[in-house]
Amino acid sequence: AQKVTQAQTEISVVEKEDVTLDCVYETRDTTYYLFWYKQPPSGELVFLIRRNSFDEQNEISGRYSWNFQKSTSSFNFTITASQVVDSAVYFCALSEASEIQGAQKLVFGQGTRLTINP
Amino acid sequence: DAGVTQSPTHLIKTRGQQVTLRCSPKSGHDTVSWYQQALGQGPQFIFQYYEEEERQRGNFPDRFSGHQFPNYSSELNVNALLLGDSALYLCASSYGLRELYEQYFGPGTRLTVT
């Protein structure tokens, strides 16, 4: 069965520090997708990135960057020069395909609570 | 362009009662998935609806049921509520079934069972 592990339950850093959130996944599928979501105190999950299993190219979007390494089954997320507004719970997720219908659902990790202190 | 909307925002029910939560997908989306997020946990998949049919289901008892309407909106029903059903219920919409593109989540309904 698919599984996503976010070993860091909570991280607290001072503003402007760089911070990396770890994500390790398990799957037997050869084709899968990995996601990162941000959940601010309001509760709504905000989509950050989607990556397919065939594309290991790292991606940068402003202060955010993602490092996908298939060899270690990891999809880590780095925030550079963190800001107080980055404080939230961050979830890594893996798509899981249904054997019957080919439909996909998300399997989430436990989340990492990130606090950026001024 | 309205995103995913859910109602109500908050709900308080008593053990043993029944509850119905509602979700309207983002414009252009036809697939609705429901997730349960207990406090301090990641969301857990409940079930998914497409073309008014339940397409797949997570590890939840039959007390959890749903429905999708012709306009793609969806309901989640929970019967015989237990204290452990207290959680944030998230609805997510997407387009199609086989390719999971950006799955948009609603703000959730926070259910408290006393």
Side-chain angles (χ1 to χ4, degrees), chain B residues 18-95:
Chain B
Q18 178 264 343
V19 68
T20 297
L21 310 181
R22 296 177 176 81
C23 170
S24 291
K26 179 179 169 61
S27 178
H29 285 183
D30 57 6
T31 304
V32 173
S33 302
W34 286 92
Y35 293 80
Q36 180 196 65
Q37 186 180 14
L39 197 61
Q41 304 294 316
Q44 298 288 318
F45 177 78
I46 303 175
F47 44 52
Q48 182 179 73
Y49 277 85
Y50 174 72
E51 293 185 337
E52 302 180 49
E53 289 186 16
E54 182 181 295
R55 295 294 175 154
Q56 60 174 321
R57 189 180 183 91
N59 189 25
F60 279 80
D62 292 344
R63 298 186 299 108
F64 288 77
S65 63
H67 187 77
Q68 185 179 35
F69 300 93
N71 67 353
Y72 309 121
S73 66
S74 176
E75 287 183 349
L76 163 65
N77 300 293
V78 187
N79 294 322
L81 284 167
L82 303 174
L83 296 179
D85 294 332
S86 295
L88 179 67
Y89 288 84
L90 295 164
C91 168
S93 75
S94 54
Y95 176 72

Side-chain angles (χ1 to χ4, degrees), chain A residues 9-15 17 19 21 82-90 112-118:
Chain A
T9 305
E10 293 191 35
I11 298 175
S12 181
V13 300
V14 177
E15 201 172 19
E17 285 187 17
V19 58
L21 309 183
S82 61
Q83 300 177 1
V84 173
V85 293
D86 295 328
S87 297
V89 180
Y90 290 85
T112 297
R113 180 176 298 279
L114 177 63
T115 302
I116 310 298
N117 300 298

